[in-house]
Amino acid sequence: MIHIVYEPLLAGNLIAQIISMFSMDEDQNFDIYNENDSEFWTQRESKFKIDPNIEFVKGHHYRFKHFLDYDKMIFCSCNTQKEKELLESRVAHVKHGIMNNPFLIDIRVFYLQELYDYLIERKKDFFNMPFSHIWDTKKFPTTMIECLKWLNLPYDEEKIKFAQKQWIKSNIIRRSKLTDKERNDYYEYRNRHADERKSQVRRAGTV
């Protein structure tokens, strides 16, 4: 069993789609990502063929020690401020209900970061998939090939590049289709949260 440990909006499904293409020896229809008008992002994702031997595991669903039992674990990490900002940039156009709350984004990302550190300290073997690599057309094909090799699976660099290209293009198109109100509402909400977060940090420093 391959376990993909992630939080929503960290592209765990894209990783599964690519792995499934090689584990099941069956091409994926990544042109699904061209369908940008009628369906929510998650509805489109349900059209992909995912290997039944892949399990999605949200990091915050279990205690840390639970993850020590996984054999083949791919960890979708979000360890830098840049990666957190990339995640937050997807909230407005993917419209994932739970993740529209920036306080929950903080909690889930912090939990994932602590889980990552715990696994490193325990010398747990896993494959790290940094979220920033998903957006990097130079790094991602190399990282994804390393992941497939780690899983002892075949790979095709051109197919991986095409999958990434379609995913990135769809994000850009979805973002461009936001109305001014949707875009402004989201950024006002995010900026207000950023101000509240700074205020809490200042108050905590005075205790």
Side-chain angles (χ1 to χ4, degrees), residues 26-70:
E26 187 173 357
D27 282 349
Q28 295 274 22
N29 178 19
F30 287 104
D31 287 330
I32 289 173
Y33 279 118
N34 288 333
E35 300 167 13
N36 283 290
D37 293 319
S38 59
E39 296 178 315
F40 287 115
W41 193 283
T42 49
Q43 289 175 308
R44 285 187 306 166
E45 283 185 331
S46 66
K47 296 180 180 180
F48 286 96
K49 296 172 241 179
I50 303 298
D51 189 329
N53 288 315
I54 292 176
E55 180 181 0
F56 295 99
V57 184
K58 292 179 182 176
H60 69 279
H61 278 190
Y62 299 99
R63 298 178 64 185
F64 288 176
K65 64 181 181 181
H66 174 89
F67 297 89
L68 297 175
D69 295 330
Y70 289 161

Side-chain angles (χ1 to χ4, degrees), residues 84-100:
K84 188 166 183 287
E85 289 170 1
L86 284 169
L87 181 155
E88 289 177 330
S89 74
R90 299 192 71 209
V91 171
H93 64 274
V94 176
K95 299 183 187 300
H96 188 289
I98 295 296
M99 297 299 273
N100 276 311

Side-chain angles (χ1 to χ4, degrees), residues 43-161:
Q43 289 175 308
R44 285 187 306 166
E45 283 185 331
S46 66
K47 296 180 180 180
F48 286 96
K49 296 172 241 179
I50 303 298
D51 189 329
N53 288 315
I54 292 176
E55 180 181 0
F56 295 99
V57 184
K58 292 179 182 176
H60 69 279
H61 278 190
Y62 299 99
R63 298 178 64 185
F64 288 176
K65 64 181 181 181
H66 174 89
F67 297 89
L68 297 175
D69 295 330
Y70 289 161
D71 182 19
K72 297 176 180 179
M73 177 167 56
I74 299 165
F75 196 103
C76 299
S77 62
C78 185
N79 287 333
T80 68
Q81 183 59 30
K82 175 187 174 182
E83 288 173 329
K84 188 166 183 287
E85 289 170 1
L86 284 169
L87 181 155
E88 289 177 330
S89 74
R90 299 192 71 209
V91 171
H93 64 274
V94 176
K95 299 183 187 300
H96 188 289
I98 295 296
M99 297 299 273
N100 276 311
N101 185 330
F103 286 105
L104 284 180
I105 290 179
D106 275 359
I107 291 170
R108 290 187 175 193
V109 169
F110 290 155
Y111 190 96
L112 202 66
Q113 290 170 348
E114 291 296 320
L115 173 58
Y116 178 92
D117 290 344
Y118 172 86
L119 295 173
I120 292 294
E121 289 171 1
R122 297 302 187 283
K123 295 180 170 57
K124 172 65 180 171
D125 184 36
F126 65 92
F127 190 89
N128 181 39
M129 184 66 69
F131 188 49
S132 57
H133 287 203
I134 308 291
W135 297 89
D136 192 315
T137 55
K138 292 182 179 179
K139 289 183 178 179
F140 180 70
T142 300
T143 304
M144 194 69 234
I145 287 171
E146 290 174 355
C147 178
L148 291 164
K149 287 180 177 178
W150 184 75
L151 294 169
N152 294 317
L153 290 172
Y155 61 87
D156 183 316
E157 185 172 359
E158 291 308 309
K159 290 181 178 179
I160 293 169
K161 287 181 177 179

